[in-house]
Structure formats: structure tokens, C-alpha cells
Amino acid sequence: MSLQQLPTELLDAVALQLAPTDLAALSRVAPVFYHVAQRRLYRHLRLDSSSLTCVFTLASCPHIASHVRSFEIRLSPQSTLLAAFYRRLALAIANMEELTSLVLAVDQAASWILRTPPHPRLRRFSSSFHLDHHLAHFLSKTDALLELHLDPPHDSLSPVAPLQHGALPLLNQFTGPSQAAQLLVPGRPVEHIHLNSGDLTEDLAETLARSTVPITELLATTTSHSVSLIGTLTRCMEQLVHLRLVTTYNFSDAPDAVHLLFKHCKRPNVPSSLAKL
């Protein structure tokens, strides 16, 4: 039996056991191994500033980009890349039609690279972009998205853009600023919420509670009186399982530890070292 007659499943099983350097060598052995090795080499990609040439390959070779299922690129905030590179990155993203996971940690001002065709298989998306009109346009074409992570904007006053009606019908997990949350959560089946910037107020809690499913996980920071806010959460999010609430409220009349100890302990059980205080 010649190599060309071997089942594709068998060739894939062989490729699965090889390291990337061996896969690259295998792709040059015979034409039959080329496509098998390419599928494995480009299936899951994690790039940084030292591996940017891969972006140019994906931009110029759509047949290779079609193998990518997860793509992650993380660039240092100090990176100074020209617009020409970002145009190539935009083309590479457009060519990766079978993406299920996309992570873009790049310059926040480059959100225009998301003006791409739809990504109907995308399940997870994480980016350094805030919710501007470029990102809103992109999200409006990702109907299968389950998890969304957005970094806080550099400017807290940056306006957020609304999404088209019916966008993100399956969204289940959201991490991002409170401004974006109040637009994205209501009317969608968001069950897990992590606010990484902004203030969780009682009004915002009421807004988030308009998710179409019960919210079971909430992580946030608030400047309000936490006791009052917890009362609101108890009322409007009855099925919370995990709540992590950090407050910056100034409790000027909060009792100190010694006061609490004397209040809740019987005098004979108080350690002698504290009884002298």
C-alpha cells in the first residue's frame, strides 16, 4: 500500500504524536503528509512579538488560515507596530473562517481590524478593545458566541456602542466594564458576570438582573454601602451561588477588632494579653 492509500484518520493519528518541529519536517517528506501536518501545526496558535511572521502567512495563505481553530496574539503595550501590520492581521482574522476561540491583546486603537466577515463558529472571544462601533459590528455577526471578555478602556469616558437587536443570542459569560455590561446583559442568557471596571450600583444590579436566565455568579467592585447593595442583590438575583463584592465605601464608624472581641466573647475567655488593652 502506498502512502497515498493510507486512511486520513491514520495519518492524523501519526501527526498527533509529533512535536511541531517534527511536523514541519514531516510536511516536507511527501505531498500526502503536507496537508496533514499543516492541519496540526496551525490548529491552535499563540503568538507574541517574537512570532509575528505567522500573521503574514495567514494573511497571504487562506488555505492555511482555514485550519486555525483557536488564535491568540498578545503584544506588549510598548509595541509600536505600523498600520500595515494591523491590515495584515485584519486579513488573517478574515481568512480564519473556522475559528472557535479568538484572543486579541493588541493596541486598543486598532479595533478597526474587526471589520471582517462573520465568524459563525466562534464560541469564545477576548480582546483589549472596548465596546466601540467596530467591536459592536463584529459581535453582531458572532451568533454562536458563549464567552466574551473585554478589557477596561483606557479612558473611562469612552462611549459604548449598542449592538444590533438579536445579536449574541447565546451569550452565557461576560467579563468586562460595567458600561458594556449594562448594554450586553439585559435580554441575553448571561449567567456569569465579572465586572473588571466601573461601579456596581443598585441601579446597575437591577439592570443586570434583566438577563433572560438567573444570574448565578457575580464579581464586582462597588463604592456604595455593601449591606444595602447586598439587600438589592438578594431581592433581584435570588439564585446567586457565587458573589465576590469588593467595596471602597468608607466605614468611618466601623468598630475595631478589640471592640468586636469584647462584645462577642465572655470576659473570662478573653486572653490576658488583650484584657490589658
Side-chain angles (χ1 to χ4, degrees):
M1 178 181 294
S2 65
L3 289 176
Q4 287 75 11
Q5 295 175 311
L6 291 174
T8 302
E9 295 79 7
L10 178 58
L11 296 175
D12 283 335
V14 172
L16 186 62
Q17 310 301 318
L18 301 179
T21 52
D22 296 327
L23 281 171
L26 179 66
S27 68
R28 296 188 290 268
V29 169
V32 68
F33 286 119
Y34 177 79
H35 295 293
V36 173
Q38 293 293 321
R39 284 200 301 272
R40 300 303 310 176
L41 281 170
Y42 288 93
R43 191 172 186 85
H44 304 291
L45 296 175
R46 300 181 64 180
L47 309 183
D48 56 25
S49 300
S50 65
S51 50
L52 298 184
T53 54
C54 184
V55 171
F56 293 88
T57 300
L58 298 173
S60 59
C61 304
H63 67 283
I64 292 179
S66 66
H67 296 316
V68 183
R69 297 297 180 269
S70 68
F71 181 82
E72 176 177 336
I73 180 169
R74 295 187 179 275
L75 302 179
S76 167
Q78 287 74 41
S79 297
T80 55
L81 295 170
L82 300 177
F85 168 79
Y86 281 103
R87 285 194 292 270
R88 288 292 182 176
L89 180 58
L91 184 55
I93 295 171
N95 287 341
M96 292 184 279
E97 300 175 347
E98 300 296 320
L99 274 178
T100 60
S101 177
L102 177 60
V103 178
L104 299 173
V106 297
D107 184 356
Q108 280 195 344
S111 61
W112 55 268
I113 66 175
L114 294 176
R115 304 292 293 188
T116 64
H119 285 80
R121 299 180 184 276
L122 195 65
R123 302 288 190 272
R124 176 177 178 267
F125 177 62
S126 175
S127 91
S128 54
F129 306 136
H130 75 280
L131 189 58
D132 61 6
H133 65 283
H134 295 302
L135 179 56
H137 174 78
F138 176 82
L139 294 177
S140 296
K141 302 179 297 180
T142 55
D143 290 347
L145 198 69
L146 299 175
E147 302 176 31
L148 175 61
H149 182 130
L150 304 179
D151 284 354
H154 293 320
D155 181 1
S156 60
L157 299 179
S158 298
V160 293
L163 269 66
Q164 295 179 5
H165 178 71
L168 302 179
L170 303 180
L171 186 65
N172 181 257
Q173 299 182 33
F174 173 77
T175 297
S178 58
Q179 267 191 311
Q182 64 185 351
L183 281 179
L184 294 173
V185 173
R188 295 184 172 89
V190 183
E191 184 179 355
H192 308 275
I193 302 173
H194 179 192
L195 303 182
N196 56 20
S197 72
D199 185 19
L200 178 63
T201 63
E202 294 184 46
D203 287 341
L204 178 57
E206 297 273 8
T207 299
L208 299 180
R210 296 205 296 269
S211 168
T212 58
V213 299
I215 295 173
T216 61
E217 182 179 26
L218 177 62
L219 293 78
T221 300
T222 180
T223 59
S224 67
H225 194 299
S226 59
V227 175
S228 174
L229 179 57
I230 288 175
T232 299
L233 295 175
T234 301
R235 174 176 51 81
C236 67
M237 300 183 186
E238 298 179 350
Q239 299 191 41
L240 270 178
V241 174
H242 181 197
L243 172 64
R244 188 177 73 186
L245 195 60
V246 177
T247 181
T248 58
Y249 183 84
N250 182 19
F251 291 93
S252 57
D253 58 346
D256 59 32
V258 175
H259 174 82
L260 288 176
L261 182 62
F262 272 81
K263 180 179 179 181
H264 295 290
C265 296
K266 294 181 180 179
R267 180 71 181 184
N269 296 326
V270 177
S272 58
S273 59
L274 286 177
K276 296 177 183 178
L277 298 177

